[in-house]
Amino acid sequence: MAKLKVGVLGATGMVGQSYIALLKDHPWFEVSFLAASERSAGKRYEEAVEGRWHFGKDIPEEVRGLLVHSIEEMGEARKTCDFVFSALDTAVAKEWEERYAEAGVPVVSNSSAHRWDEDVPMIIPEINPDHLKIIPIQRKKRGWDRGFIAVKPNCSLQSYLIPLFPLHKEFTLKAVIVTTMQAISGAGYPGVASFDIIDNIVPYIKGEEEKSEREPRKILGRIEGDLIVEEKGIVISAHCNRVPVIDGHLACVSVAFESKPTREEILEIWREFRGVPQELSLPFAPEQPIIYRKEVARPQPRLDRDKGKGMAVSVGRLRECNVLNYRFVALSHNTIRGAAGGGILIAELLKERGFFNNL
Amino acid sequence: MAKLKVGVLGATGMVGQSYIALLKDHPWFEVSFLAASERSAGKRYEEAVEGRWHFGKDIPEEVRGLLVHSIEEMGEARKTCDFVFSALDTAVAKEWEERYAEAGVPVVSNSSAHRWDEDVPMIIPEINPDHLKIIPIQRKKRGWDRGFIAVKPNCSLQSYLIPLFPLHKEFTLKAVIVTTMQAISGAGYPGVASFDIIDNIVPYIKGEEEKSEREPRKILGRIEGDLIVEEKGIVISAHCNRVPVIDGHLACVSVAFESKPTREEILEIWREFRGVPQELSLPFAPEQPIIYRKEVARPQPRLDRDKGKGMAVSVGRLRECNVLNYRFVALSHNTIRGAAGGGILIAELLKERGFFNNL
Amino acid sequence: MAKLKVGVLGATGMVGQSYIALLKDHPWFEVSFLAASERSAGKRYEEAVEGRWHFGKDIPEEVRGLLVHSIEEMGEARKTCDFVFSALDTAVAKEWEERYAEAGVPVVSNSSAHRWDEDVPMIIPEINPDHLKIIPIQRKKRGWDRGFIAVKPNCSLQSYLIPLFPLHKEFTLKAVIVTTMQAISGAGYPGVASFDIIDNIVPYIKGEEEKSEREPRKILGRIEGDLIVEEKGIVISAHCNRVPVIDGHLACVSVAFESKPTREEILEIWREFRGVPQELSLPFAPEQPIIYRKEVARPQPRLDRDKGKGMAVSVGRLRECNVLNYRFVALSHNTIRGAAGGGILIAELLKERGFFNNL
Amino acid sequence: MAKLKVGVLGATGMVGQSYIALLKDHPWFEVSFLAASERSAGKRYEEAVEGRWHFGKDIPEEVRGLLVHSIEEMGEARKTCDFVFSALDTAVAKEWEERYAEAGVPVVSNSSAHRWDEDVPMIIPEINPDHLKIIPIQRKKRGWDRGFIAVKPNCSLQSYLIPLFPLHKEFTLKAVIVTTMQAISGAGYPGVASFDIIDNIVPYIKGEEEKSEREPRKILGRIEGDLIVEEKGIVISAHCNRVPVIDGHLACVSVAFESKPTREEILEIWREFRGVPQELSLPFAPEQPIIYRKEVARPQPRLDRDKGKGMAVSVGRLRECNVLNYRFVALSHNTIRGAAGGGILIAELLKERGFFNNL
């Protein structure tokens, strides 16, 4: 089988680099088109990221020499590739993602620009794969033939929404109070100044609490007519903190359900949970999406962030909450599951569901 | 005025060292007696802590040469000093604090050994100075003439209980969900292994959630007959985490009251709050016990832990909670307000209230 | 005595903030003029640094409301103040420091722009106070009446040059191999990205090795005719590293002399060393400029950087070197002794030597 | 081919765990015998390390259930396994390694107990594989039939000795001044207290400078008669520091040769260097043992420690030294190349050279 050709918009930034690093040796996709800002356009990739390639694994050999295009070269993208990952800054993502889609190039986006468009699916493949059904509606509405936009939610919520989802299906979520301790890589590069975070915690991340509270309601929502409707019955209150950890967002969660499950029911549901990505054996799907740790002090970012190649969520310390029903700790890798890896899993789902077929 | 003579039990450990460092140049107290385990007994203090004095400020000149006594030399303590601070490990604190008290030496303790004795006051001087009234009852019950035991609560709760207290007086606390991010110095020395905490968070601290949830109920309780009765109307649920921060415990708090105040009422109460230590101008009392930071991302451990010489609590980010009533962030210095400094403030209060007079 | 009026150029950056924080309650100087880039000009200082004041100690009350001037308002500086501290970026320092001096305002500079002008003294007050004698020559040469420029050397070399200087006087330095481990605050703000330095070391700092190797030769040089001549007999080889430490540059030094001293001679020289700042009792002069630590594993940045209010150099581990003569470890506080504090000490020396008299 | 059966002495400590983690799926070796102190003896391995397994990768399935033997059960080891890795503490290693060897069990040791025995080879397989020829002499001298002891040198020197070795062969090393910045994992567990190292550097590691200076002379020495003779022509002076880095020892090296090579000669030698492990394609041999990084600020611990699966040494910043001939920066993974991985590579060499054949 020939691999699909993939583009990366915003290829020189931290998320763009992460896509390129993770797509090395991908069985279905190969990186064939790169676009970035004017500063980098016209250079070979290796040259464009000189002195700011952020990963221990070196730039994949086959990407080193690729030309970095100007973001304006949608036509080239249309000719060269089957779809693109957008790692663009939110400020420019809105315009360019739409122009690529309009030009016939499907966009799988990491940015928050289109997350609140009611015809744009915001996907965690284990949770709401069926929201992809909005895509034909989106295309029709916007007059796009082949292009479309599908988005990934914010990194902060992946750690707790994935374990909450299968419980919600059985017991109906009512309220969540969550405190996140988020890794610095979540802020991109240069991101957080070292002077601000060594021997310190920053108890605020711009826009993060709003995303953490609202995005889950869309993800757990449903398609009604030609739009995706939020699940308004769930109330979330988030405290988001930046901590001196390289990778891995940790969350302390207190939760109340309509009907309170037993501890054993919860553990069994987590143990047994498999989603569509697991059923389809998607390449980036972790075998077991939710891993419960029995140890008294786990999960921990450095020990557990790489589980399932960075795509599994690790959970631990399930116990009763004195105020709501239960408490637990959850962890996910913010730049893999929470960013580029999550985007790749969406693209794999799109491929299996045939959304790239008509290209 | 002659200074009171003070002893430190457990003088070579981290909390003991902290007492010695903080008591340098104290206007009312001077360190005159040191006791530690057999390993150190018989040595001069400087020699006993060689290679493990943990502070940048060197050992105070006047303490360097003091003899370290065996913990068994209560008689010597009785002769030498007016009262002692106990920085003993919980494992041995129960026995020895009682033996010192029985021998006629008042004990102000940092350990958790006697916190749940119903005749032992657990004091935050700004909150429950009147619980000292249990002391005569304690003496009588236990047949002690001059000695008694008064204790300081756990370090984890000082950051949130002090700002919650004046609100509780007006609006009656119902429920609290709190996530703490606690500094490594709270674990003593050697305490947390560096391999466990660099680039990491440990989402569990043994015994800490229980203390954080239950001790506030005693501190907010009242004396009934000859014992201190817990305030059972308050429910607290705590998530305690260890973070790679040297000093300063941070707490993310969500709280519900019987009657919900306005944001302005809360801010005014915090601004105006002064307790007995402030009224008495105790040497270690911070002028303003609760400092509200208007900045969007404060308080932060490294920037705010030393406010009020480490005795003030810094608070920020007061906003509505989607689940309970309000959310905020609070910070206190765990080894000053939360340990030795808190103990010294209790001793200052005891002195002003005349509890050392009859010695 | 009325205080001298002081200006700060580049007042909103990290070094500028540091000057403002350190000058609070200075017995001789008071901050009266602030200048910064266009972005800040016209704002009150508090407003100009909103969200980026980097210190735990809040902005001094008397500076909060000061107007931030455009850097172009030299005339205003001439009227308002007796001299200025320049905390300008090197890129703009050359032009503006000269324009201020030309306008009659003496400049004490932290930037590297004029360090290699042969008529500009580069001063460590304990080492080469007499280099100030070049100032009249500088004024004459450049046609300046009251203004002049005096500069502070780079932060990296203060830890090792101060202890080497009194040894050099007795035994004549020949060769030095030094490895520095430099704190992140030395890079300004935002400076080093946290993603680059947590759980990491960066073994390179742009321009730093050159400065560390060459500036000592000028500082140890002498005035010949109308210029300062380098001491070419000393060869230095520097390895400069950035480490995850907030403040405090540490140096591992191997050194060879013309005539090899005994260990006891070195220790005595360090113990006894006092310079002109100590003789004059300048306010920022540490009582003992070189503090030798006998402990086996000192100095350490977190424990020793604040010695002498951040102005003393701490030294330890003096032992024979297998290749050169001796080895030792040295530490100085990079933002106090190595930046603003060092600048203030130069200004104090200038004042005592009468260089501000004719203003 | 049946795998050789391997034992691990000191199996529950950090180095022991590292052996077990690294030997998972080894093509030649399988873990079959575990020994530890009395505290662990008699337990299943999983139980013995409960709460103190230090790695993100979980305990290999096939080791979880293995019985932990008392260290005294040499007889069992003799029956069960072909050789053992010793990860014993130095304090007990001397006795027990000899008793195992005497009982007929070859020992590959990580401890320093026998490094200075003149009949014990201290091996870096790329440097001195021929020192294994001392083994028959050792056996004869000590009256051992099948057993013997071979040791791995200290972790601190692997980063600089491997790149210095091929240069030494061509140009003859004279003098080295090296400053190491060593990761906390090198101190074992619990090792360095977090309170001592966060926002700090400790400029001393007990015994480390002596090892760093002397062990290279034995490794670069030669067999004369029945003992290994040190290379006394090389003088090394080491400054060893502990830094807040999880894994990866970094070294800043200044070096002088008998005849000074050109920069190009050095780079070519490093590029071309292959040792016996590479020629034999040993499983743990990195394809390229010395990797030169052209980037201006590399190698860095977090980015480069895992190169060659943690077995390659990364080198960078080769430039002239103002005092000696050249300077450079070198890095190796201290718990892989510098500990368990280095031990495994020795065992692989021993196997290929037939030292386990007669068992």
Side-chain angles (χ1 to χ4, degrees):
Chain A
M1 186 186 79
K3 290 186 183 183
L4 294 183
K5 309 279 190 196
V6 173
V8 179
L9 311 184
T12 57
M14 196 154 182
V15 175
Q17 292 185 20
S18 184
Y19 270 114
I20 286 165
L22 289 176
L23 286 167
K24 182 173 153 61
D25 301 327
H26 192 282
W28 298 353
F29 304 145
E30 71 182 315
V31 175
S32 308
F33 175 85
L34 303 174
S37 63
E38 289 313 310
R39 190 174 56 142
S40 300
K43 297 181 182 167
R44 300 285 148 197
Y45 188 67
E46 180 174 27
E47 188 191 348
V49 296
E50 196 183 327
R52 54 187 183 114
W53 175 258
H54 303 301
F55 296 94
K57 289 191 182 162
D58 291 334
I59 309 171
E61 205 51 58
E62 61 278 14
V63 179
R64 284 180 183 280
L66 285 186
L67 183 71
V68 179
H69 292 271
S70 158
I71 188 67
E72 301 186 3
E73 301 180 50
M74 285 102 58
E76 183 63 22
R78 178 72 164 82
K79 278 188 291 181
T80 316
C81 56
D82 295 296
F83 69 97
V84 296
F85 291 109
S86 165
L88 294 171
D89 283 345
T90 300
V92 299
K94 185 160 175 49
E95 174 186 354
W96 289 105
E97 293 179 357
E98 291 179 9
R99 292 181 65 176
Y100 271 71
E102 190 171 18
V105 185
V107 176
V108 176
S109 174
N110 197 60
S111 95
S112 63
H114 291 92
R115 286 190 196 150
W116 287 100
D117 292 6
E118 289 171 322
D119 60 348
V120 170
M122 174 155 53
I123 302 291
I124 293 179
E126 280 86 350
I127 298 183
N128 61 342
D130 288 347
H131 285 198
L132 294 182
K133 291 179 184 158
I134 200 80
I135 289 176
I137 299 169
Q138 179 196 121
R139 278 174 170 156
K140 193 166 158 198
K141 228 170 166 178
R142 304 197 180 207
W144 296 342
D145 57 345
R146 311 190 331 174
F148 60 85
I149 298 173
V151 303
K152 200 198 62 52
N154 198 51
C155 55
S156 62
L157 55 88
Q158 319 251 357
S159 58
Y160 56 91
L161 194 61
I162 293 176
L164 286 177
F165 165 66
L167 306 180
H168 173 58
K169 281 198 302 184
E170 296 289 325
F171 309 106
T172 311
L173 271 176
K174 266 192 344 197
V176 179
I177 293 183
V178 59
T179 297
T180 65
M181 288 166 271
Q182 300 185 214
I184 53 170
S185 59
Y189 188 88
V192 183
S194 56
F195 191 79
D196 284 338
I197 201 71
I198 287 180
D199 181 22
N200 207 17
I201 305 283
V202 180
Y204 172 74
I205 306 172
K206 196 177 176 190
E208 208 75 359
E209 294 177 351
E210 294 77 359
K211 292 173 189 170
S212 303
E213 290 166 358
R214 199 174 159 209
E215 292 183 8
R217 293 158 47 132
K218 176 168 177 178
I219 298 165
L220 298 179
R222 65 198 174 287
I223 299 177
E224 284 190 9
D226 60 355
L227 35 83
I228 297 167
V229 175
E230 282 182 63
E231 173 51 70
K232 300 223 159 143
I234 302 170
V235 177
I236 301 177
S237 186
H239 304 251
C240 293
N241 301 278
R242 189 70 72 192
V243 296
V245 164
I246 289 288
D247 289 315
H249 287 355
L250 194 74
C252 289
V253 183
S254 281
V255 56
F257 299 96
E258 285 294 337
S259 61
K260 183 178 171 182
T262 67
R263 192 169 178 275
E264 289 61 40
E265 286 174 319
I266 295 175
L267 292 176
E268 194 192 336
I269 285 171
W270 282 345
R271 194 167 46 239
E272 302 303 329
F273 177 67
R274 299 293 182 278
V276 166
Q278 285 72 35
E279 286 161 19
L280 297 175
S281 296
L282 299 180
F284 263 60
E287 212 172 300
Q288 183 166 350
I290 302 169
I291 297 171
Y292 188 81
R293 307 289 320 187
K294 288 171 302 180
E295 298 93 330
V296 74
R298 296 280 283 268
Q300 295 177 15
R302 208 179 69 243
L303 298 185
D304 295 308
R305 59 195 173 201
D306 290 328
K307 290 290 182 317
K309 293 182 184 162
M311 292 296 288
V313 174
S314 294
V315 185
R317 300 203 69 217
L318 179 67
R319 60 210 192 279
E320 301 234 340
C321 177
N322 297 333
V323 177
L324 304 182
N325 295 161
Y326 282 98
R327 300 179 257 187
F328 62 90
V329 175
L331 174 86
S332 78
H333 195 302
N334 56 299
T335 71
I336 303 179
R337 166 60 82 166
I344 293 169
L345 192 65
I346 295 172
E348 292 172 352
L349 177 67
L350 285 162
K351 182 192 160 293
E352 281 298 273
R353 289 275 166 99
F355 286 91
F356 300 143
N357 280 355
N358 60 333
L359 304 182
Chain B
M1 186 187 78
K3 290 187 182 182
L4 293 184
K5 309 281 191 195
V6 173
V8 179
L9 311 184
T12 56
M14 197 155 183
V15 176
Q17 292 185 22
S18 184
Y19 270 113
I20 287 165
L22 288 176
L23 287 169
K24 183 174 151 61
D25 301 327
H26 192 282
W28 298 352
F29 304 145
E30 69 182 316
V31 175
S32 308
F33 175 85
L34 303 175
S37 64
E38 290 313 310
R39 190 174 56 144
S40 299
K43 297 181 182 168
R44 299 286 147 195
Y45 188 67
E46 180 173 29
E47 188 192 349
V49 297
E50 196 181 328
R52 54 186 182 115
W53 175 258
H54 302 302
F55 297 93
K57 290 191 180 160
D58 291 333
I59 309 171
E61 206 51 57
E62 60 279 13
V63 178
R64 282 181 183 280
L66 285 187
L67 183 71
V68 179
H69 292 271
S70 158
I71 187 68
E72 301 187 3
E73 302 180 49
M74 286 103 58
E76 183 62 23
R78 177 74 164 81
K79 277 188 290 180
T80 317
C81 56
D82 294 297
F83 70 97
V84 296
F85 291 110
S86 165
L88 294 171
D89 283 345
T90 300
V92 299
K94 186 160 174 49
E95 175 187 354
W96 290 106
E97 293 180 357
E98 291 180 8
R99 291 182 65 176
Y100 272 71
E102 190 171 16
V105 185
V107 176
V108 176
S109 174
N110 198 60
S111 95
S112 63
H114 292 93
R115 287 189 195 150
W116 287 100
D117 292 6
E118 290 172 322
D119 59 349
V120 170
M122 175 156 53
I123 303 291
I124 293 179
E126 280 87 351
I127 298 183
N128 60 344
D130 288 347
H131 284 199
L132 294 182
K133 291 179 184 157
I134 200 80
I135 289 177
I137 298 169
Q138 181 197 120
R139 278 175 170 155
K140 193 166 159 199
K141 229 171 165 177
R142 304 197 181 209
W144 297 342
D145 56 345
R146 309 189 332 173
F148 61 85
I149 298 172
V151 303
K152 200 198 62 51
N154 198 49
C155 55
S156 62
L157 56 87
Q158 319 252 356
S159 58
Y160 56 90
L161 194 61
I162 293 175
L164 286 177
F165 165 67
L167 306 180
H168 173 58
K169 282 198 302 184
E170 297 287 326
F171 308 107
T172 311
L173 272 176
K174 265 193 344 197
V176 178
I177 293 184
V178 58
T179 298
T180 65
M181 288 165 272
Q182 301 186 214
I184 52 170
S185 59
Y189 188 86
V192 184
S194 55
F195 190 79
D196 285 338
I197 201 69
I198 287 179
D199 181 21
N200 207 18
I201 304 282
V202 179
Y204 173 73
I205 306 172
K206 196 178 176 191
E208 207 76 358
E209 295 178 350
E210 294 77 359
K211 292 174 190 170
S212 303
E213 291 167 356
R214 198 175 159 207
E215 293 184 7
R217 293 160 43 134
K218 175 168 177 178
I219 298 166
L220 299 179
R222 65 197 175 289
I223 299 177
E224 283 189 9
D226 59 355
L227 36 85
I228 298 168
V229 174
E230 282 183 62
E231 173 51 71
K232 300 223 160 145
I234 302 168
V235 177
I236 301 177
S237 185
H239 303 252
C240 293
N241 300 278
R242 190 71 72 191
V243 296
V245 164
I246 290 288
D247 290 313
H249 287 355
L250 194 74
C252 289
V253 184
S254 281
V255 56
F257 300 96
E258 284 293 337
S259 62
K260 183 179 171 182
T262 68
R263 192 169 179 275
E264 288 62 39
E265 285 174 320
I266 295 175
L267 292 176
E268 195 192 336
I269 285 171
W270 282 344
R271 194 167 47 241
E272 302 302 331
F273 176 68
R274 299 293 181 278
V276 166
Q278 284 72 37
E279 286 162 19
L280 298 175
S281 295
L282 299 181
F284 263 59
E287 211 173 301
Q288 182 166 350
I290 303 169
I291 297 171
Y292 188 81
R293 307 289 320 186
K294 289 170 303 180
E295 297 93 331
V296 75
R298 296 280 283 270
Q300 294 178 14
R302 209 179 67 244
L303 298 185
D304 295 309
R305 60 195 173 201
D306 291 327
K307 290 291 184 317
K309 294 183 182 162
M311 293 295 289
V313 174
S314 294
V315 185
R317 301 204 66 219
L318 179 67
R319 60 210 192 280
E320 301 233 340
C321 177
N322 298 332
V323 176
L324 305 182
N325 295 161
Y326 281 98
R327 297 179 259 188
F328 61 89
V329 176
L331 174 86
S332 77
H333 195 301
N334 56 299
T335 70
I336 303 181
R337 167 61 83 165
I344 293 170
L345 192 64
I346 295 172
E348 292 171 352
L349 177 67
L350 284 163
K351 183 194 159 291
E352 280 298 273
R353 288 277 165 100
F355 284 92
F356 300 144
N357 279 357
N358 61 333
L359 303 184
Chain C
M1 186 187 80
K3 291 187 183 181
L4 293 183
K5 310 278 190 200
V6 173
V8 179
L9 311 184
T12 56
M14 196 154 180
V15 176
Q17 291 185 20
S18 184
Y19 270 114
I20 286 164
L22 288 175
L23 286 168
K24 182 174 153 61
D25 301 326
H26 192 282
W28 299 353
F29 304 145
E30 70 182 315
V31 175
S32 308
F33 175 85
L34 304 174
S37 64
E38 290 313 310
R39 190 175 54 143
S40 300
K43 296 182 181 166
R44 299 287 147 194
Y45 188 67
E46 181 174 29
E47 187 192 349
V49 296
E50 195 182 326
R52 55 188 183 115
W53 175 258
H54 302 302
F55 297 93
K57 289 189 181 164
D58 291 334
I59 308 170
E61 205 51 57
E62 61 279 14
V63 179
R64 283 180 183 280
L66 286 186
L67 183 71
V68 179
H69 292 270
S70 159
I71 188 68
E72 302 187 4
E73 301 180 50
M74 286 102 58
E76 182 62 22
R78 179 72 165 79
K79 277 188 291 180
T80 316
C81 56
D82 295 295
F83 71 96
V84 296
F85 291 109
S86 164
L88 294 170
D89 283 345
T90 301
V92 299
K94 187 161 173 48
E95 174 186 355
W96 289 106
E97 293 180 358
E98 292 180 9
R99 292 181 67 176
Y100 272 71
E102 190 171 18
V105 184
V107 176
V108 176
S109 174
N110 197 60
S111 96
S112 63
H114 291 93
R115 286 189 195 151
W116 287 99
D117 291 6
E118 290 170 322
D119 60 349
V120 170
M122 174 155 54
I123 302 292
I124 292 179
E126 280 87 350
I127 298 183
N128 62 342
D130 289 348
H131 284 199
L132 294 182
K133 291 178 183 157
I134 200 80
I135 290 177
I137 300 169
Q138 180 197 121
R139 278 174 170 157
K140 193 166 159 200
K141 228 170 164 179
R142 307 200 179 205
W144 296 342
D145 56 346
R146 310 191 329 176
F148 62 84
I149 297 173
V151 303
K152 199 199 63 51
N154 198 50
C155 55
S156 62
L157 55 88
Q158 319 252 357
S159 58
Y160 57 90
L161 194 61
I162 293 176
L164 286 176
F165 165 67
L167 306 179
H168 174 57
K169 282 198 301 184
E170 297 288 326
F171 309 106
T172 311
L173 270 177
K174 266 193 343 198
V176 178
I177 293 184
V178 59
T179 298
T180 65
M181 288 165 270
Q182 301 186 213
I184 53 170
S185 60
Y189 188 87
V192 183
S194 55
F195 190 78
D196 285 338
I197 201 69
I198 287 180
D199 182 22
N200 206 19
I201 304 282
V202 179
Y204 172 73
I205 305 173
K206 196 177 177 193
E208 208 75 358
E209 294 178 351
E210 295 77 359
K211 292 173 189 169
S212 304
E213 291 167 356
R214 201 176 157 207
E215 293 183 8
R217 292 156 50 129
K218 175 168 178 178
I219 297 164
L220 298 179
R222 64 200 175 287
I223 298 177
E224 283 189 9
D226 60 354
L227 36 83
I228 297 168
V229 175
E230 280 182 64
E231 173 51 69
K232 300 224 160 144
I234 302 169
V235 178
I236 301 176
S237 186
H239 303 251
C240 293
N241 301 279
R242 189 70 72 191
V243 295
V245 164
I246 289 287
D247 289 314
H249 287 355
L250 194 74
C252 288
V253 183
S254 281
V255 57
F257 300 96
E258 284 294 339
S259 61
K260 182 180 171 181
T262 66
R263 192 169 179 276
E264 288 63 38
E265 286 174 319
I266 295 175
L267 292 177
E268 194 191 336
I269 285 171
W270 281 345
R271 194 167 46 239
E272 302 303 328
F273 177 66
R274 299 293 182 278
V276 166
Q278 284 73 36
E279 288 162 18
L280 297 176
S281 296
L282 299 181
F284 263 59
E287 211 172 301
Q288 181 165 352
I290 302 168
I291 297 171
Y292 188 80
R293 306 291 318 187
K294 290 170 302 180
E295 297 93 331
V296 75
R298 297 279 284 267
Q300 293 178 15
R302 209 180 67 243
L303 298 185
D304 295 309
R305 60 195 173 201
D306 290 327
K307 290 289 182 318
K309 293 183 184 163
M311 292 295 289
V313 174
S314 294
V315 186
R317 300 204 67 218
L318 178 68
R319 61 211 192 279
E320 301 234 340
C321 176
N322 297 332
V323 176
L324 305 181
N325 297 160
Y326 283 97
R327 298 177 257 187
F328 61 89
V329 175
L331 174 87
S332 77
H333 194 300
N334 56 298
T335 70
I336 303 180
R337 167 60 82 165
I344 292 170
L345 192 65
I346 295 172
E348 292 171 352
L349 177 67
L350 285 162
K351 183 193 160 291
E352 280 300 273
R353 288 275 165 100
F355 285 92
F356 300 143
N357 280 356
N358 62 334
L359 303 182
Chain D
M1 187 187 79
K3 291 187 182 181
L4 293 183
K5 309 280 190 197
V6 173
V8 179
L9 311 184
T12 56
M14 197 155 181
V15 176
Q17 292 185 19
S18 184
Y19 270 113
I20 286 165
L22 289 175
L23 286 168
K24 182 175 153 60
D25 301 327
H26 192 282
W28 298 353
F29 305 145
E30 68 181 317
V31 175
S32 308
F33 176 85
L34 303 174
S37 63
E38 289 312 311
R39 190 173 54 144
S40 299
K43 297 182 181 166
R44 300 287 147 194
Y45 188 67
E46 181 174 27
E47 186 191 350
V49 297
E50 195 182 327
R52 54 188 184 117
W53 175 259
H54 302 302
F55 297 93
K57 289 190 181 162
D58 292 332
I59 308 171
E61 204 50 57
E62 61 279 14
V63 179
R64 284 180 183 278
L66 285 187
L67 183 71
V68 179
H69 291 270
S70 158
I71 187 68
E72 301 187 4
E73 302 180 49
M74 285 105 57
E76 182 63 22
R78 178 72 165 80
K79 280 187 289 180
T80 316
C81 57
D82 295 296
F83 70 97
V84 296
F85 291 108
S86 165
L88 293 171
D89 283 346
T90 301
V92 299
K94 188 160 173 46
E95 174 186 355
W96 289 106
E97 293 179 359
E98 292 181 8
R99 292 181 67 176
Y100 272 72
E102 191 171 18
V105 184
V107 176
V108 176
S109 174
N110 197 60
S111 95
S112 63
H114 291 93
R115 287 189 196 150
W116 288 99
D117 292 6
E118 289 171 323
D119 59 349
V120 170
M122 175 155 53
I123 302 291
I124 293 179
E126 280 86 351
I127 299 182
N128 61 344
D130 289 347
H131 284 198
L132 293 183
K133 291 179 184 158
I134 201 79
I135 289 176
I137 299 169
Q138 180 197 120
R139 277 175 171 155
K140 194 167 157 198
K141 230 173 165 175
R142 305 198 180 207
W144 297 341
D145 56 346
R146 309 189 331 174
F148 61 84
I149 297 172
V151 304
K152 201 199 60 53
N154 198 50
C155 55
S156 62
L157 55 88
Q158 319 252 358
S159 59
Y160 57 90
L161 194 60
I162 293 176
L164 286 177
F165 165 67
L167 306 179
H168 173 57
K169 281 198 302 185
E170 296 288 325
F171 309 107
T172 311
L173 271 177
K174 268 194 340 198
V176 179
I177 293 183
V178 58
T179 298
T180 64
M181 288 166 271
Q182 300 186 214
I184 53 168
S185 59
Y189 189 87
V192 184
S194 55
F195 191 78
D196 285 338
I197 201 70
I198 287 180
D199 181 22
N200 207 18
I201 304 282
V202 180
Y204 172 73
I205 306 172
K206 196 176 177 193
E208 207 76 358
E209 295 178 350
E210 294 77 358
K211 293 174 189 168
S212 303
E213 290 167 357
R214 199 174 158 209
E215 292 183 9
R217 293 159 43 133
K218 175 167 178 179
I219 297 165
L220 298 179
R222 64 200 174 288
I223 298 177
E224 282 189 10
D226 60 355
L227 36 83
I228 297 168
V229 174
E230 281 182 61
E231 174 51 70
K232 299 224 159 143
I234 302 169
V235 178
I236 301 177
S237 185
H239 303 252
C240 293
N241 300 278
R242 189 70 71 190
V243 296
V245 165
I246 289 288
D247 289 314
H249 287 356
L250 194 75
C252 288
V253 184
S254 281
V255 57
F257 300 95
E258 285 294 338
S259 62
K260 183 179 172 181
T262 66
R263 191 169 180 277
E264 288 61 39
E265 286 173 319
I266 294 175
L267 291 177
E268 194 192 336
I269 285 171
W270 283 344
R271 193 167 46 240
E272 301 303 329
F273 177 67
R274 299 293 182 277
V276 167
Q278 284 72 37
E279 288 162 16
L280 296 176
S281 296
L282 299 181
F284 263 59
E287 212 172 302
Q288 182 166 352
I290 302 168
I291 297 171
Y292 188 81
R293 306 290 320 187
K294 288 170 303 180
E295 298 93 332
V296 75
R298 297 280 283 267
Q300 295 178 15
R302 208 179 68 242
L303 298 185
D304 295 309
R305 59 193 173 204
D306 290 328
K307 290 290 183 316
K309 293 183 184 161
M311 292 296 289
V313 174
S314 294
V315 186
R317 301 204 66 217
L318 179 67
R319 60 211 192 279
E320 301 232 340
C321 177
N322 297 333
V323 176
L324 305 182
N325 296 163
Y326 282 98
R327 298 178 257 188
F328 62 89
V329 176
L331 174 87
S332 77
H333 195 301
N334 56 298
T335 70
I336 302 180
R337 167 59 84 166
I344 293 170
L345 191 65
I346 295 172
E348 292 171 351
L349 177 67
L350 284 162
K351 183 195 159 291
E352 280 298 273
R353 289 276 166 99
F355 286 91
F356 301 142
N357 280 357
N358 60 334
L359 303 182

